[in-house]
Amino acid sequence: MINIVATIGDVQHLPYPAASFDGAYLIDALGEMPNPPAVLRELRRVLKPAGRLVVGEHFVDPDFTSLDG
């Protein structure tokens, strides 16, 4: 069974305990965040050790955030 519930909040301060999720995804959103490294750290915190993060950014996005840093 898939249990997905959409929640509005601040991705830099997620209201979930550490290691709560098997997976997370951001599609065309990371480049719009004011502090992408903080967002990625918070997502890492709430993902289980073997959890997966999927980030999709289109290169045509003028605010594209490079994964190189």
Side-chain angles (χ1 to χ4, degrees):
M1 179 176 167
I2 298 175
N3 185 9
I4 298 174
V5 177
T7 303
I8 296 174
D10 181 352
V11 72
Q12 294 181 80
H13 306 285
L14 295 171
Y16 307 108
S20 297
F21 295 94
D22 295 311
Y25 68 93
L26 293 171
I27 305 300
D28 290 332
L30 190 60
E32 307 302 322
M33 307 282 175
N35 189 347
V39 170
L40 294 173
R41 280 191 301 272
E42 183 66 354
L43 288 168
R44 182 179 185 187
R45 181 187 73 78
V46 299
L47 285 172
K48 293 178 181 177
R52 294 185 183 224
L53 173 62
V54 175
V55 178
E57 290 284 335
H58 290 90
F59 292 104
V60 296
D61 183 347
D63 299 316
F64 174 73
T65 302
S66 171
L67 296 178
D68 293 335

